[in-house]
Amino acid sequence: MAKKLVIKVTAGADAPERCSQAFTVAAVAVASGVEVSLWLTGESSWFALPGRAAEFELPHAAPLPDLIDSVLAAGKVTLCTQCAARRGITEEDVLEGVRIAGAQVFVSEALGEGTQALVY
């Protein structure tokens, strides 16, 4: 059975350690061969925009742009529909490879066979 991990990150610059942990776990899981779906919600929504991850700093943490790139290369990154709308973010604004989808898609992924869901 394939291993699948759905990670929802709600934290951004407002909670840098929690935010960094979510992206680090997603990147390590991808590197380990796990199928990863990373969901950007709440304040992490801003990291769907080009250049925003480069503004994030946390001592002794991997650079956020590198973590996002590794997840985009082998996994899925999704921006919450409502979170995007509240911030005026459209599909034309986001990084290449980031999709915008809603709760129905999240629930479907999280309840999939052999899937573990984590929320940060």
Side-chain angles (χ1 to χ4, degrees):
M1 182 183 319
K3 298 177 185 177
K4 298 176 187 174
L5 187 59
V6 175
I7 300 172
K8 178 185 265 194
V9 56
T10 62
D14 59 326
E17 289 184 310
R18 191 162 32 107
C19 175
S20 180
Q21 289 170 1
F23 284 96
T24 300
V25 168
V28 168
V30 165
S32 301
V34 176
E35 183 181 327
V36 173
S37 178
L38 178 65
W39 282 73
L40 307 178
T41 67
E43 286 303 299
S44 72
S45 300
W46 296 113
F47 299 127
L49 298 174
R52 291 303 282 268
E55 298 171 6
F56 180 86
E57 292 183 14
L58 181 63
H60 310 291
L64 201 57
D66 294 348
L67 298 174
I68 292 172
D69 287 347
S70 67
V71 176
L72 280 170
K76 289 189 278 191
V77 178
T78 305
L79 172 59
C80 162
T81 301
Q82 290 182 11
C83 300
R86 279 190 283 275
R87 289 160 179 81
I89 300 171
T90 68
E91 289 190 5
E92 292 78 30
D93 300 323
V94 299
L95 294 164
E96 185 175 341
V98 173
R99 68 178 175 163
I100 297 177
Q104 181 181 3
V105 176
F106 176 79
V107 170
S108 176
E109 286 185 7
L111 295 178
E113 184 74 28
T115 301
Q116 173 71 46
L118 302 173
V119 178
Y120 287 88

